Amino acid sequence: MGIIDLSVPIRSGMPVYPGDPEVTVRPALTAAVDGVNVLHLDMGSQTGTHVDAPRHIDDSLPALDELPLERFTGPGVVIDAREVGAGGAIGREFFEGRVAAGQIVLIATGWSAHWGTHAYLNHPHLTVAAAEYLVAAGVRTIGIDALSVDPTPAVEIPVHRIMCGAHAVIAENLTGLDLALTAQSAGQRMEVSLFPLNVPGADGAPVRAVACTGL
């Protein structure tokens, strides 16, 4: 069995969604002075590789701690959408006949290669028709190796509204999906875990996303 890390590291000054809190990681206590090392973290709930709870877009929808833990782990399938390119739309045809209820659907765009550059903002995104198809297929957890499932910047976020309205979980800023695709192409099954921090009432939280392959 192999474990693929699908998470970006959390560092001071790392990329964030435009308008989100900047990230600062600094020592709070040190072993040299205080006898122990403790870091002080300043960051938003949508920092780095993270999941959105439905409450991210509507106060009346479930927060992270109100969702079943099954939303954050399960059999994974990787959809290869790398052909779409900068600013491209990922339509329902990428998912038709390839996804099923209970799966964690990971969308590989190749955009994690642009992490930390201005090009990262001009990422591929899902169409409304794709989101509607996923919900109708019973998919309640999706992830993408890009800044958002909607375009950036966006006045409207229709894909978020469709998925979150169905009480689905959205993982963003994944990385390493090329390795997951390779494992899948070799016939290996995978289990994906996207467990967030346990923050009551949260709209989202960072995750250590991993895929276990060769099962």
Side-chain angles (χ1 to χ4, degrees), residues 39-130:
L39 288 175
H40 182 107
L41 307 176
D42 284 315
M43 60 185 183
S45 57
Q46 307 284 316
T47 293
T49 304
H50 67 273
V51 291
D52 295 348
R55 184 164 293 181
H56 182 45
I57 58 98
D58 192 320
D59 288 341
S60 68
L61 293 174
L64 274 183
D65 59 312
E66 296 170 331
L67 293 171
L69 288 177
E70 288 78 9
R71 285 283 194 278
F72 306 103
T73 188
V77 60
V78 190
I79 302 299
D80 191 351
R82 292 175 294 182
E83 68 188 64
V84 171
I90 303 167
R92 64 177 285 167
E93 66 274 11
F94 284 88
F95 306 97
E96 289 174 330
R98 297 185 178 97
V99 302
Q103 289 180 322
I104 295 182
V105 177
L106 305 179
I107 305 152
T109 69
W111 227 246
S112 58
H114 300 289
W115 175 254
T117 73
H118 185 72
Y120 194 65
L121 296 174
N122 191 25
H123 56 83
H125 59 275
L126 271 65
T127 64
V128 166

Side-chain angles (χ1 to χ4, degrees), residues 1-206:
M1 185 180 73
I3 299 178
I4 302 172
D5 193 347
L6 306 178
S7 315
V8 298
I10 294 178
R11 297 189 174 107
S12 292
M14 67 187 289
V16 296
Y17 192 87
D20 277 12
E22 296 295 328
V23 178
T24 302
V25 180
R26 59 181 174 80
L29 303 172
T30 66
V33 175
D34 307 290
V36 293
N37 288 310
V38 175
L39 288 175
H40 182 107
L41 307 176
D42 284 315
M43 60 185 183
S45 57
Q46 307 284 316
T47 293
T49 304
H50 67 273
V51 291
D52 295 348
R55 184 164 293 181
H56 182 45
I57 58 98
D58 192 320
D59 288 341
S60 68
L61 293 174
L64 274 183
D65 59 312
E66 296 170 331
L67 293 171
L69 288 177
E70 288 78 9
R71 285 283 194 278
F72 306 103
T73 188
V77 60
V78 190
I79 302 299
D80 191 351
R82 292 175 294 182
E83 68 188 64
V84 171
I90 303 167
R92 64 177 285 167
E93 66 274 11
F94 284 88
F95 306 97
E96 289 174 330
R98 297 185 178 97
V99 302
Q103 289 180 322
I104 295 182
V105 177
L106 305 179
I107 305 152
T109 69
W111 227 246
S112 58
H114 300 289
W115 175 254
T117 73
H118 185 72
Y120 194 65
L121 296 174
N122 191 25
H123 56 83
H125 59 275
L126 271 65
T127 64
V128 166
E132 290 174 341
Y133 179 85
L134 288 165
V135 167
V139 173
R140 292 297 180 269
T141 309
I142 65 170
I144 193 167
D145 56 351
L147 189 56
S148 175
V149 291
D150 284 297
T152 303
V155 176
E156 299 293 334
I157 49 173
V159 173
H160 276 83
R161 296 200 179 281
I162 292 166
M163 299 303 301
C164 291
H167 295 191
V169 167
I170 302 170
E172 293 164 326
N173 293 325
L174 294 169
T175 191
L177 290 187
D178 53 335
L179 298 175
L181 269 173
T182 299
Q184 181 174 270
S185 297
Q188 297 182 26
R189 291 173 49 247
M190 70 180 70
E191 290 283 325
V192 177
S193 294
L194 304 167
F195 288 113
L197 298 173
N198 187 2
V199 183
D203 59 276

